[in-house]
Amino acid sequence: DDPQLLSVLASRDGGGALEAFLGLVPVTFSKLGERVDGAWLAMWTATPEAQARRVGLALLLAARERFPVLACLGFNETAKRIYQAVDFTVRPLDRWVRILDPDAVARLTAAGHEVGTDRLQTRDTSLDTLTSGVAIDPQGARTEMDAELWNHAWQERFAPGLVGTWRDADYLTRRYVEHPRFRYGVHAGNALLVHRVEQPLGRDERVVRIVELLGDDGALGSLVDAAEAAGAAFADFYCAGAGESAAMLEAAGFRREADLDAEVPSRLQPVEAGRTEIPLAIAGVDASAPLYVTRSDGDQDRPN
């Protein structure tokens, strides 16, 4: 229960040595408006000997017993098979993209193809080189949040119609306003829009990453106009269960990545070519439940 500490389920062998662990990010979920305990999974590994004894699986099942809702974003094929075997619903997030400057997108795509297989030996990974969060607004990313109005909108309009992280004003403040590294633009009142501007490593281009979109009060259109005027290459939004947001995105010129002719890189630190799928696994909810999950959940909105 201490937000300053990590939560980890761990297993030790007979000699006391750590042999497996499963990281957890405890969070309140909305199940159609009902507040329930849940957790996002992060960092799950075991020694080969522990894997042979299915210790990692035991940790996952222990987490299932502790939390009514359990979810994970971003995992490999091995984890995917395990999640499916223990009744998680598995699906990718949809990526929505609005190309603002085709020439800039082409330059980024070309840079991604030039990275090659030796990128891990050549990239500079120090935090000071990660310029994510450069704001379109020269005054910096702004917070425009009416906490009382947003909490009412969240509890009365949005939460009853979706399954996902409980996104009240306290959550928005902790997750975005007080983020120690990224500068997010937060707009919350009758609707919700959260974004940041990312500058790819070693590049001049900028990209708008939208991480929250619920309700329509004109903020999305204003953001797109500002981004285009500022010369951003593109804007994107990863979401499972966009629901009514889909119509807003289409009206603002966004298209699902699968429907685009152009390749639009997603990994930008450094730029990497190709499409990047972000898979979701979630347990404790009906497979047909109306999900609202974005790439910011489970701390997935971060450098490569």
Side-chain angles (χ1 to χ4, degrees), residues 111-122:
H113 284 287
E114 293 170 1
V115 168
T117 58
D118 61 344
R119 68 174 183 84
L120 291 179
Q121 285 73 43
T122 60

Side-chain angles (χ1 to χ4, degrees), residues 42-126:
M43 299 302 295
W44 179 27
T45 193
T47 66
E49 295 78 12
Q51 289 179 28
R53 304 194 332 269
R54 298 188 177 183
V55 176
L57 176 60
L59 293 179
L60 179 63
L61 296 179
R64 285 289 308 272
E65 292 179 0
R66 290 173 183 235
F67 295 98
V69 177
L70 204 60
C72 183
L73 275 181
F75 44 85
N76 60 29
E77 285 296 317
T78 299
K80 176 181 178 180
R81 291 192 293 270
I82 296 173
Y83 289 139
Q84 291 174 323
V86 292
D87 297 326
F88 279 69
T89 296
V90 178
R91 56 170 291 184
L93 301 191
D94 291 323
R95 186 189 186 200
W96 294 79
V97 180
R98 166 69 191 271
I99 295 177
L100 302 169
D101 184 339
D103 291 338
V105 171
R107 290 194 300 270
L108 286 174
T109 301
H113 284 287
E114 293 170 1
V115 168
T117 58
D118 61 344
R119 68 174 183 84
L120 291 179
Q121 285 73 43
T122 60
R123 68 183 272 201
D124 183 346
T125 57
S126 66

Side-chain angles (χ1 to χ4, degrees), residues 95 97-99 102 105-106 109 113 253-265 274-275:
R95 186 189 186 200
V97 180
R98 166 69 191 271
I99 295 177
V105 171
T109 301
H113 284 287
F254 286 77
R255 297 292 179 265
R256 295 180 191 272
E257 184 178 35
D259 298 331
L260 293 176
D261 294 330
E263 179 183 316
V264 181
R275 294 179 174 179

